[in-house]
Amino acid sequence: MSRLASGLWVQAYLMRLQIETIPAYVLAHGDDTAGAIMVKLSPLDGTARLYQRMMAMDGSRPWDVLADGPEPEVDALIARQRKTDPDLWVIEVESRDGRHLLDQPGLD
């Protein structure tokens, strides 16, 4: 099964968030074709949760929590990941109620 190019997925994701009036920002622009994508959810309380796609046994690619805790620790993990993978996309979503839409149809 072919996958959507990373740059197109990011554009679609940002548009969906904008429609729902959820602020989001591209913190790191990765490879437009095949860069991995991480989504940092910030509830604006000093904590953060980092999501990354994982390969499931059934071949699906669900979003899974990679890190959850104080925002500086999550940011440090992102920085380490960016050093080893310069093609990595990082999107920050700011939502006090924890909405990220990653579980919505078309984004899962």
Side-chain angles (χ1 to χ4, degrees), residues 5-41:
S6 300
L8 290 175
W9 187 94
V10 168
Q11 287 178 342
Y13 182 52
L14 293 174
M15 185 172 292
R16 293 274 296 270
L17 290 165
Q18 183 178 20
I19 289 168
E20 296 291 328
T21 63
I22 301 170
Y25 311 93
V26 176
L27 298 181
H29 186 289
D31 182 77
D32 286 327
T33 305
I37 302 167
M38 289 183 165
V39 175
K40 175 187 165 187
L41 175 64

PDB file of all heavy atoms in Angstrom, residues 5-41:
ATOM      1  N   ALA A   5       2.704  11.300   0.814  1.00  0.00           N
ATOM      2  CA  ALA A   5       3.959  12.013   1.082  1.00  0.00           C
ATOM      3  C   ALA A   5       3.821  12.809   2.377  1.00  0.00           C
ATOM      4  O   ALA A   5       2.771  13.373   2.673  1.00  0.00           O
ATOM      5  CB  ALA A   5       4.289  12.932  -0.086  1.00  0.00           C
ATOM      6  N   SER A   6       4.894  12.859   3.131  1.00  0.00           N
ATOM      7  CA  SER A   6       4.883  13.512   4.447  1.00  0.00           C
ATOM      8  C   SER A   6       4.434  14.961   4.376  1.00  0.00           C
ATOM      9  O   SER A   6       3.634  15.418   5.198  1.00  0.00           O
ATOM     10  CB  SER A   6       6.270  13.437   5.079  1.00  0.00           C
ATOM     11  OG  SER A   6       6.662  12.101   5.248  1.00  0.00           O
ATOM     12  N   GLY A   7       4.947  15.701   3.405  1.00  0.00           N
ATOM     13  CA  GLY A   7       4.584  17.115   3.277  1.00  0.00           C
ATOM     14  C   GLY A   7       3.099  17.312   3.038  1.00  0.00           C
ATOM     15  O   GLY A   7       2.483  18.228   3.600  1.00  0.00           O
ATOM     16  N   LEU A   8       2.492  16.451   2.230  1.00  0.00           N
ATOM     17  CA  LEU A   8       1.049  16.546   1.979  1.00  0.00           C
ATOM     18  C   LEU A   8       0.249  16.185   3.223  1.00  0.00           C
ATOM     19  O   LEU A   8      -0.757  16.829   3.533  1.00  0.00           O
ATOM     20  CB  LEU A   8       0.649  15.635   0.816  1.00  0.00           C
ATOM     21  CG  LEU A   8       1.133  16.072  -0.551  1.00  0.00           C
ATOM     22  CD1 LEU A   8       0.784  15.016  -1.595  1.00  0.00           C
ATOM     23  CD2 LEU A   8       0.560  17.420  -0.926  1.00  0.00           C
ATOM     24  N   TRP A   9       0.701  15.154   3.953  1.00  0.00           N
ATOM     25  CA  TRP A   9      -0.001  14.772   5.183  1.00  0.00           C
ATOM     26  C   TRP A   9       0.042  15.924   6.181  1.00  0.00           C
ATOM     27  O   TRP A   9      -0.959  16.247   6.808  1.00  0.00           O
ATOM     28  CB  TRP A   9       0.606  13.511   5.791  1.00  0.00           C
ATOM     29  CG  TRP A   9      -0.203  13.020   6.943  1.00  0.00           C
ATOM     30  CD1 TRP A   9      -1.196  12.089   6.901  1.00  0.00           C
ATOM     31  CD2 TRP A   9      -0.139  13.457   8.314  1.00  0.00           C
ATOM     32  NE1 TRP A   9      -1.749  11.931   8.158  1.00  0.00           N
ATOM     33  CE2 TRP A   9      -1.114  12.766   9.036  1.00  0.00           C
ATOM     34  CE3 TRP A   9       0.660  14.378   8.980  1.00  0.00           C
ATOM     35  CZ2 TRP A   9      -1.312  12.957  10.406  1.00  0.00           C
ATOM     36  CZ3 TRP A   9       0.459  14.575  10.340  1.00  0.00           C
ATOM     37  CH2 TRP A   9      -0.522  13.868  11.033  1.00  0.00           C
ATOM     38  N   VAL A  10       1.204  16.554   6.335  1.00  0.00           N
ATOM     39  CA  VAL A  10       1.340  17.671   7.278  1.00  0.00           C
ATOM     40  C   VAL A  10       0.415  18.811   6.882  1.00  0.00           C
ATOM     41  O   VAL A  10      -0.274  19.391   7.732  1.00  0.00           O
ATOM     42  CB  VAL A  10       2.807  18.135   7.376  1.00  0.00           C
ATOM     43  CG1 VAL A  10       2.919  19.467   8.118  1.00  0.00           C
ATOM     44  CG2 VAL A  10       3.664  17.077   8.061  1.00  0.00           C
ATOM     45  N   GLN A  11       0.353  19.153   5.601  1.00  0.00           N
ATOM     46  CA  GLN A  11      -0.541  20.221   5.142  1.00  0.00           C
ATOM     47  C   GLN A  11      -1.995  19.893   5.471  1.00  0.00           C
ATOM     48  O   GLN A  11      -2.740  20.753   5.950  1.00  0.00           O
ATOM     49  CB  GLN A  11      -0.396  20.441   3.633  1.00  0.00           C
ATOM     50  CG  GLN A  11       0.872  21.121   3.244  1.00  0.00           C
ATOM     51  CD  GLN A  11       0.987  21.275   1.736  1.00  0.00           C
ATOM     52  OE1 GLN A  11       0.307  20.608   0.958  1.00  0.00           O
ATOM     53  NE2 GLN A  11       1.868  22.163   1.321  1.00  0.00           N
ATOM     54  N   ALA A  12      -2.399  18.666   5.213  1.00  0.00           N
ATOM     55  CA  ALA A  12      -3.774  18.257   5.499  1.00  0.00           C
ATOM     56  C   ALA A  12      -4.054  18.295   7.000  1.00  0.00           C
ATOM     57  O   ALA A  12      -5.124  18.757   7.429  1.00  0.00           O
ATOM     58  CB  ALA A  12      -4.036  16.855   4.942  1.00  0.00           C
ATOM     59  N   TYR A  13      -3.102  17.845   7.804  1.00  0.00           N
ATOM     60  CA  TYR A  13      -3.262  17.842   9.258  1.00  0.00           C
ATOM     61  C   TYR A  13      -3.402  19.268   9.786  1.00  0.00           C
ATOM     62  O   TYR A  13      -4.302  19.560  10.577  1.00  0.00           O
ATOM     63  CB  TYR A  13      -2.073  17.131   9.900  1.00  0.00           C
ATOM     64  CG  TYR A  13      -2.136  17.028  11.401  1.00  0.00           C
ATOM     65  CD1 TYR A  13      -3.248  16.514  12.050  1.00  0.00           C
ATOM     66  CD2 TYR A  13      -1.070  17.440  12.181  1.00  0.00           C
ATOM     67  CE1 TYR A  13      -3.303  16.410  13.435  1.00  0.00           C
ATOM     68  CE2 TYR A  13      -1.110  17.331  13.567  1.00  0.00           C
ATOM     69  CZ  TYR A  13      -2.231  16.820  14.186  1.00  0.00           C
ATOM     70  OH  TYR A  13      -2.277  16.723  15.550  1.00  0.00           O
ATOM     71  N   LEU A  14      -2.529  20.160   9.334  1.00  0.00           N
ATOM     72  CA  LEU A  14      -2.612  21.554   9.777  1.00  0.00           C
ATOM     73  C   LEU A  14      -3.935  22.189   9.378  1.00  0.00           C
ATOM     74  O   LEU A  14      -4.522  22.963  10.139  1.00  0.00           O
ATOM     75  CB  LEU A  14      -1.428  22.353   9.225  1.00  0.00           C
ATOM     76  CG  LEU A  14      -0.050  21.963   9.769  1.00  0.00           C
ATOM     77  CD1 LEU A  14       1.046  22.737   9.041  1.00  0.00           C
ATOM     78  CD2 LEU A  14       0.043  22.171  11.266  1.00  0.00           C
ATOM     79  N   MET A  15      -4.426  21.855   8.201  1.00  0.00           N
ATOM     80  CA  MET A  15      -5.714  22.399   7.759  1.00  0.00           C
ATOM     81  C   MET A  15      -6.856  21.884   8.636  1.00  0.00           C
ATOM     82  O   MET A  15      -7.739  22.651   9.033  1.00  0.00           O
ATOM     83  CB  MET A  15      -5.973  22.053   6.291  1.00  0.00           C
ATOM     84  CG  MET A  15      -7.231  22.700   5.743  1.00  0.00           C
ATOM     85  SD  MET A  15      -7.407  22.482   3.968  1.00  0.00           S
ATOM     86  CE  MET A  15      -6.036  23.488   3.413  1.00  0.00           C
ATOM     87  N   ARG A  16      -6.832  20.595   8.957  1.00  0.00           N
ATOM     88  CA  ARG A  16      -7.868  20.030   9.844  1.00  0.00           C
ATOM     89  C   ARG A  16      -7.848  20.700  11.206  1.00  0.00           C
ATOM     90  O   ARG A  16      -8.878  21.019  11.777  1.00  0.00           O
ATOM     91  CB  ARG A  16      -7.686  18.516  10.010  1.00  0.00           C
ATOM     92  CG  ARG A  16      -7.919  17.693   8.773  1.00  0.00           C
ATOM     93  CD  ARG A  16      -9.369  17.305   8.544  1.00  0.00           C
ATOM     94  NE  ARG A  16      -9.933  16.453   9.542  1.00  0.00           N
ATOM     95  CZ  ARG A  16      -9.929  15.123   9.526  1.00  0.00           C
ATOM     96  NH1 ARG A  16      -9.349  14.473   8.541  1.00  0.00           N
ATOM     97  NH2 ARG A  16     -10.517  14.451  10.486  1.00  0.00           N
ATOM     98  N   LEU A  17      -6.653  20.922  11.747  1.00  0.00           N
ATOM     99  CA  LEU A  17      -6.535  21.601  13.034  1.00  0.00           C
ATOM    100  C   LEU A  17      -7.044  23.033  12.939  1.00  0.00           C
ATOM    101  O   LEU A  17      -7.740  23.513  13.834  1.00  0.00           O
ATOM    102  CB  LEU A  17      -5.075  21.586  13.507  1.00  0.00           C
ATOM    103  CG  LEU A  17      -4.534  20.229  13.927  1.00  0.00           C
ATOM    104  CD1 LEU A  17      -3.016  20.265  14.023  1.00  0.00           C
ATOM    105  CD2 LEU A  17      -5.147  19.763  15.240  1.00  0.00           C
ATOM    106  N   GLN A  18      -6.721  23.711  11.855  1.00  0.00           N
ATOM    107  CA  GLN A  18      -7.173  25.089  11.668  1.00  0.00           C
ATOM    108  C   GLN A  18      -8.697  25.157  11.614  1.00  0.00           C
ATOM    109  O   GLN A  18      -9.301  26.046  12.218  1.00  0.00           O
ATOM    110  CB  GLN A  18      -6.574  25.668  10.391  1.00  0.00           C
ATOM    111  CG  GLN A  18      -6.932  27.117  10.166  1.00  0.00           C
ATOM    112  CD  GLN A  18      -6.287  27.671   8.909  1.00  0.00           C
ATOM    113  OE1 GLN A  18      -5.884  26.929   8.014  1.00  0.00           O
ATOM    114  NE2 GLN A  18      -6.192  28.980   8.846  1.00  0.00           N
ATOM    115  N   ILE A  19      -9.324  24.220  10.933  1.00  0.00           N
ATOM    116  CA  ILE A  19     -10.789  24.173  10.845  1.00  0.00           C
ATOM    117  C   ILE A  19     -11.397  24.045  12.234  1.00  0.00           C
ATOM    118  O   ILE A  19     -12.433  24.636  12.538  1.00  0.00           O
ATOM    119  CB  ILE A  19     -11.245  23.020   9.924  1.00  0.00           C
ATOM    120  CG1 ILE A  19     -10.911  23.363   8.479  1.00  0.00           C
ATOM    121  CG2 ILE A  19     -12.730  22.733  10.090  1.00  0.00           C
ATOM    122  CD1 ILE A  19     -11.055  22.197   7.521  1.00  0.00           C
ATOM    123  N   GLU A  20     -10.741  23.290  13.108  1.00  0.00           N
ATOM    124  CA  GLU A  20     -11.213  23.084  14.482  1.00  0.00           C
ATOM    125  C   GLU A  20     -10.715  24.163  15.436  1.00  0.00           C
ATOM    126  O   GLU A  20     -10.904  24.047  16.642  1.00  0.00           O
ATOM    127  CB  GLU A  20     -10.780  21.702  14.980  1.00  0.00           C
ATOM    128  CG  GLU A  20     -11.379  20.552  14.215  1.00  0.00           C
ATOM    129  CD  GLU A  20     -12.872  20.390  14.446  1.00  0.00           C
ATOM    130  OE1 GLU A  20     -13.339  20.700  15.557  1.00  0.00           O
ATOM    131  OE2 GLU A  20     -13.557  19.956  13.511  1.00  0.00           O
ATOM    132  N   THR A  21     -10.063  25.191  14.901  1.00  0.00           N
ATOM    133  CA  THR A  21      -9.452  26.294  15.669  1.00  0.00           C
ATOM    134  C   THR A  21      -8.515  25.793  16.772  1.00  0.00           C
ATOM    135  O   THR A  21      -8.539  26.281  17.896  1.00  0.00           O
ATOM    136  CB  THR A  21     -10.505  27.269  16.240  1.00  0.00           C
ATOM    137  OG1 THR A  21     -11.346  26.580  17.170  1.00  0.00           O
ATOM    138  CG2 THR A  21     -11.337  27.900  15.146  1.00  0.00           C
ATOM    139  N   ILE A  22      -7.692  24.831  16.419  1.00  0.00           N
ATOM    140  CA  ILE A  22      -6.659  24.317  17.316  1.00  0.00           C
ATOM    141  C   ILE A  22      -5.320  24.829  16.790  1.00  0.00           C
ATOM    142  O   ILE A  22      -4.922  24.472  15.681  1.00  0.00           O
ATOM    143  CB  ILE A  22      -6.673  22.775  17.364  1.00  0.00           C
ATOM    144  CG1 ILE A  22      -8.033  22.255  17.829  1.00  0.00           C
ATOM    145  CG2 ILE A  22      -5.551  22.265  18.257  1.00  0.00           C
ATOM    146  CD1 ILE A  22      -8.203  20.753  17.685  1.00  0.00           C
ATOM    147  N   PRO A  23      -4.627  25.674  17.552  1.00  0.00           N
ATOM    148  CA  PRO A  23      -3.341  26.200  17.086  1.00  0.00           C
ATOM    149  C   PRO A  23      -2.301  25.098  16.902  1.00  0.00           C
ATOM    150  O   PRO A  23      -2.189  24.191  17.723  1.00  0.00           O
ATOM    151  CB  PRO A  23      -2.905  27.153  18.204  1.00  0.00           C
ATOM    152  CG  PRO A  23      -4.135  27.425  18.999  1.00  0.00           C
ATOM    153  CD  PRO A  23      -5.002  26.218  18.853  1.00  0.00           C
ATOM    154  N   ALA A  24      -1.552  25.208  15.814  1.00  0.00           N
ATOM    155  CA  ALA A  24      -0.492  24.239  15.532  1.00  0.00           C
ATOM    156  C   ALA A  24       0.606  24.925  14.735  1.00  0.00           C
ATOM    157  O   ALA A  24       0.334  25.858  13.959  1.00  0.00           O
ATOM    158  CB  ALA A  24      -1.036  23.052  14.761  1.00  0.00           C
ATOM    159  N   TYR A  25       1.834  24.440  14.939  1.00  0.00           N
ATOM    160  CA  TYR A  25       3.006  25.055  14.324  1.00  0.00           C
ATOM    161  C   TYR A  25       3.969  23.979  13.855  1.00  0.00           C
ATOM    162  O   TYR A  25       4.113  22.949  14.511  1.00  0.00           O
ATOM    163  CB  TYR A  25       3.727  25.945  15.340  1.00  0.00           C
ATOM    164  CG  TYR A  25       2.788  26.872  16.054  1.00  0.00           C
ATOM    165  CD1 TYR A  25       2.217  26.508  17.275  1.00  0.00           C
ATOM    166  CD2 TYR A  25       2.432  28.094  15.503  1.00  0.00           C
ATOM    167  CE1 TYR A  25       1.328  27.340  17.934  1.00  0.00           C
ATOM    168  CE2 TYR A  25       1.533  28.938  16.146  1.00  0.00           C
ATOM    169  CZ  TYR A  25       0.989  28.555  17.358  1.00  0.00           C
ATOM    170  OH  TYR A  25       0.101  29.374  17.995  1.00  0.00           O
ATOM    171  N   VAL A  26       4.639  24.251  12.750  1.00  0.00           N
ATOM    172  CA  VAL A  26       5.699  23.362  12.283  1.00  0.00           C
ATOM    173  C   VAL A  26       6.978  23.801  12.987  1.00  0.00           C
ATOM    174  O   VAL A  26       7.495  24.886  12.736  1.00  0.00           O
ATOM    175  CB  VAL A  26       5.866  23.440  10.755  1.00  0.00           C
ATOM    176  CG1 VAL A  26       7.041  22.575  10.304  1.00  0.00           C
ATOM    177  CG2 VAL A  26       4.588  23.013  10.046  1.00  0.00           C
ATOM    178  N   LEU A  27       7.464  22.966  13.892  1.00  0.00           N
ATOM    179  CA  LEU A  27       8.709  23.265  14.613  1.00  0.00           C
ATOM    180  C   LEU A  27       9.925  22.841  13.808  1.00  0.00           C
ATOM    181  O   LEU A  27      10.991  23.437  13.936  1.00  0.00           O
ATOM    182  CB  LEU A  27       8.727  22.553  15.968  1.00  0.00           C
ATOM    183  CG  LEU A  27       7.643  22.935  16.966  1.00  0.00           C
ATOM    184  CD1 LEU A  27       7.820  22.144  18.256  1.00  0.00           C
ATOM    185  CD2 LEU A  27       7.649  24.420  17.247  1.00  0.00           C
ATOM    186  N   ALA A  28       9.772  21.787  13.011  1.00  0.00           N
ATOM    187  CA  ALA A  28      10.872  21.292  12.182  1.00  0.00           C
ATOM    188  C   ALA A  28      10.289  20.769  10.884  1.00  0.00           C
ATOM    189  O   ALA A  28       9.394  19.931  10.899  1.00  0.00           O
ATOM    190  CB  ALA A  28      11.636  20.192  12.906  1.00  0.00           C
ATOM    191  N   HIS A  29      10.783  21.299   9.770  1.00  0.00           N
ATOM    192  CA  HIS A  29      10.334  20.879   8.437  1.00  0.00           C
ATOM    193  C   HIS A  29      11.228  19.741   7.981  1.00  0.00           C
ATOM    194  O   HIS A  29      12.424  19.922   7.771  1.00  0.00           O
ATOM    195  CB  HIS A  29      10.435  22.063   7.476  1.00  0.00           C
ATOM    196  CG  HIS A  29       9.874  21.790   6.135  1.00  0.00           C
ATOM    197  ND1 HIS A  29      10.470  20.944   5.232  1.00  0.00           N
ATOM    198  CD2 HIS A  29       8.764  22.249   5.539  1.00  0.00           C
ATOM    199  CE1 HIS A  29       9.749  20.905   4.129  1.00  0.00           C
ATOM    200  NE2 HIS A  29       8.704  21.692   4.289  1.00  0.00           N
ATOM    201  N   GLY A  30      10.641  18.563   7.861  1.00  0.00           N
ATOM    202  CA  GLY A  30      11.394  17.395   7.445  1.00  0.00           C
ATOM    203  C   GLY A  30      11.349  17.186   5.948  1.00  0.00           C
ATOM    204  O   GLY A  30      10.970  18.074   5.186  1.00  0.00           O
ATOM    205  N   ASP A  31      11.725  16.000   5.534  1.00  0.00           N
ATOM    206  CA  ASP A  31      11.706  15.641   4.121  1.00  0.00           C
ATOM    207  C   ASP A  31      10.269  15.600   3.612  1.00  0.00           C
ATOM    208  O   ASP A  31       9.407  14.963   4.222  1.00  0.00           O
ATOM    209  CB  ASP A  31      12.371  14.277   3.921  1.00  0.00           C
ATOM    210  CG  ASP A  31      12.420  13.894   2.465  1.00  0.00           C
ATOM    211  OD1 ASP A  31      13.282  14.438   1.755  1.00  0.00           O
ATOM    212  OD2 ASP A  31      11.578  13.073   2.046  1.00  0.00           O
ATOM    213  N   ASP A  32      10.001  16.288   2.507  1.00  0.00           N
ATOM    214  CA  ASP A  32       8.637  16.386   1.982  1.00  0.00           C
ATOM    215  C   ASP A  32       8.073  15.059   1.500  1.00  0.00           C
ATOM    216  O   ASP A  32       6.863  14.867   1.498  1.00  0.00           O
ATOM    217  CB  ASP A  32       8.582  17.391   0.825  1.00  0.00           C
ATOM    218  CG  ASP A  32       8.677  18.825   1.299  1.00  0.00           C
ATOM    219  OD1 ASP A  32       8.178  19.136   2.396  1.00  0.00           O
ATOM    220  OD2 ASP A  32       9.258  19.650   0.564  1.00  0.00           O
ATOM    221  N   THR A  33       8.930  14.157   1.109  1.00  0.00           N
ATOM    222  CA  THR A  33       8.455  12.901   0.546  1.00  0.00           C
ATOM    223  C   THR A  33       8.311  11.797   1.585  1.00  0.00           C
ATOM    224  O   THR A  33       7.256  11.172   1.690  1.00  0.00           O
ATOM    225  CB  THR A  33       9.418  12.413  -0.557  1.00  0.00           C
ATOM    226  OG1 THR A  33       9.550  13.460  -1.525  1.00  0.00           O
ATOM    227  CG2 THR A  33       8.892  11.161  -1.214  1.00  0.00           C
ATOM    228  N   ALA A  34       9.344  11.567   2.379  1.00  0.00           N
ATOM    229  CA  ALA A  34       9.322  10.393   3.247  1.00  0.00           C
ATOM    230  C   ALA A  34       9.791  10.662   4.668  1.00  0.00           C
ATOM    231  O   ALA A  34      10.163   9.730   5.373  1.00  0.00           O
ATOM    232  CB  ALA A  34      10.186   9.300   2.629  1.00  0.00           C
ATOM    233  N   GLY A  35       9.779  11.897   5.108  1.00  0.00           N
ATOM    234  CA  GLY A  35      10.220  12.188   6.472  1.00  0.00           C
ATOM    235  C   GLY A  35       9.241  11.656   7.501  1.00  0.00           C
ATOM    236  O   GLY A  35       8.030  11.706   7.315  1.00  0.00           O
ATOM    237  N   ALA A  36       9.774  11.123   8.591  1.00  0.00           N
ATOM    238  CA  ALA A  36       8.920  10.695   9.701  1.00  0.00           C
ATOM    239  C   ALA A  36       8.302  11.941  10.332  1.00  0.00           C
ATOM    240  O   ALA A  36       8.832  13.047  10.206  1.00  0.00           O
ATOM    241  CB  ALA A  36       9.743   9.924  10.724  1.00  0.00           C
ATOM    242  N   ILE A  37       7.184  11.752  11.034  1.00  0.00           N
ATOM    243  CA  ILE A  37       6.459  12.868  11.634  1.00  0.00           C
ATOM    244  C   ILE A  37       6.242  12.601  13.108  1.00  0.00           C
ATOM    245  O   ILE A  37       5.805  11.518  13.485  1.00  0.00           O
ATOM    246  CB  ILE A  37       5.098  13.075  10.939  1.00  0.00           C
ATOM    247  CG1 ILE A  37       5.288  13.329   9.442  1.00  0.00           C
ATOM    248  CG2 ILE A  37       4.316  14.218  11.596  1.00  0.00           C
ATOM    249  CD1 ILE A  37       4.017  13.237   8.625  1.00  0.00           C
ATOM    250  N   MET A  38       6.542  13.606  13.926  1.00  0.00           N
ATOM    251  CA  MET A  38       6.224  13.574  15.351  1.00  0.00           C
ATOM    252  C   MET A  38       5.270  14.729  15.629  1.00  0.00           C
ATOM    253  O   MET A  38       5.401  15.803  15.037  1.00  0.00           O
ATOM    254  CB  MET A  38       7.475  13.731  16.209  1.00  0.00           C
ATOM    255  CG  MET A  38       8.383  12.559  16.192  1.00  0.00           C
ATOM    256  SD  MET A  38       9.757  12.852  17.327  1.00  0.00           S
ATOM    257  CE  MET A  38      10.398  11.211  17.449  1.00  0.00           C
ATOM    258  N   VAL A  39       4.325  14.490  16.532  1.00  0.00           N
ATOM    259  CA  VAL A  39       3.381  15.523  16.930  1.00  0.00           C
ATOM    260  C   VAL A  39       3.521  15.728  18.434  1.00  0.00           C
ATOM    261  O   VAL A  39       3.342  14.801  19.213  1.00  0.00           O
ATOM    262  CB  VAL A  39       1.926  15.143  16.568  1.00  0.00           C
ATOM    263  CG1 VAL A  39       0.948  16.190  17.095  1.00  0.00           C
ATOM    264  CG2 VAL A  39       1.779  14.976  15.060  1.00  0.00           C
ATOM    265  N   LYS A  40       3.851  16.962  18.801  1.00  0.00           N
ATOM    266  CA  LYS A  40       3.975  17.330  20.216  1.00  0.00           C
ATOM    267  C   LYS A  40       2.682  18.025  20.633  1.00  0.00           C
ATOM    268  O   LYS A  40       2.295  19.034  20.046  1.00  0.00           O
ATOM    269  CB  LYS A  40       5.163  18.266  20.409  1.00  0.00           C
ATOM    270  CG  LYS A  40       5.296  18.809  21.822  1.00  0.00           C
ATOM    271  CD  LYS A  40       6.403  19.859  21.879  1.00  0.00           C
ATOM    272  CE  LYS A  40       6.324  20.667  23.136  1.00  0.00           C
ATOM    273  NZ  LYS A  40       7.289  21.775  23.125  1.00  0.00           N
ATOM    274  N   LEU A  41       2.020  17.475  21.615  1.00  0.00           N
ATOM    275  CA  LEU A  41       0.799  18.076  22.153  1.00  0.00           C
ATOM    276  C   LEU A  41       1.145  18.833  23.422  1.00  0.00           C
ATOM    277  O   LEU A  41       1.677  18.246  24.372  1.00  0.00           O
ATOM    278  CB  LEU A  41      -0.247  17.004  22.457  1.00  0.00           C
ATOM    279  CG  LEU A  41      -1.518  17.493  23.140  1.00  0.00           C
ATOM    280  CD1 LEU A  41      -2.285  18.449  22.235  1.00  0.00           C
ATOM    281  CD2 LEU A  41      -2.386  16.314  23.532  1.00  0.00           C
TER     282      LEU A  41
END
